[in-house]
Amino acid sequence: MTTLSRSTNIGALAAAFAYTTLIFGAAIAPSSAEAKSGSMFYTVELAQPVTKTSTTIAGGVAWACKGTTCVAQKSNSRPLRVCRELQREHGQITSFTAKDEALDADNLAKCNA
């Protein structure tokens, strides 16, 4: 019976972890084509850009953020609640749209309060 060295086992484990991370990240992050095609339920514009492309969990959904734009699939929560939770993570929100319907000025002010 042949056994692998400890460093080979660690290397294989690290490679498996990296592969899993890449596959999982690709599965939850929408492509730019999905974001542009309107398949995302929420679209948000932030006042300040995120420092790097990221995925954030807020309002019960995974948000994909790049620059000043964040997009996400539908949540079971009300749009105002989803907006407030994202605002806590990324700061002031200049526009929040749920299924092509923008929050009105009063609700956007509540979101940013």
Side-chain angles (χ1 to χ4, degrees), residues 10-22:
I10 292 172
L13 184 60
F17 179 74
Y19 177 78
T20 302
T21 302
L22 288 173

Side-chain angles (χ1 to χ4, degrees), residues 21-72:
T21 302
L22 288 173
I23 294 302
F24 181 71
I28 64 169
S31 68
S32 60
E34 286 176 319
K36 290 178 183 174
S37 72
S39 65
M40 294 291 113
F41 189 82
Y42 300 111
T43 304
V44 171
E45 288 297 320
L46 305 170
Q48 298 294 318
V50 293
T51 56
K52 62 180 181 172
T53 301
S54 65
T55 300
T56 302
I57 305 297
V61 292
W63 290 88
C65 298
K66 182 177 182 180
T68 59
T69 303
C70 296
V71 294

Side-chain angles (χ1 to χ4, degrees), residues 44-48 50 56-61 63 65 70 78-96 103 107-113:
V44 171
E45 288 297 320
L46 305 170
Q48 298 294 318
V50 293
T56 302
I57 305 297
V61 292
W63 290 88
C65 298
C70 296
R78 292 178 301 128
L80 182 57
R81 179 173 180 231
V82 174
C83 184
R84 284 180 174 166
E85 289 189 27
L86 186 63
Q87 186 273 338
R88 286 184 197 121
E89 294 291 325
H90 290 297
Q92 185 176 1
I93 294 175
T94 59
S95 73
F96 184 96
L103 279 184
N107 282 323
L108 191 58
K110 289 177 185 176
C111 171
N112 286 306

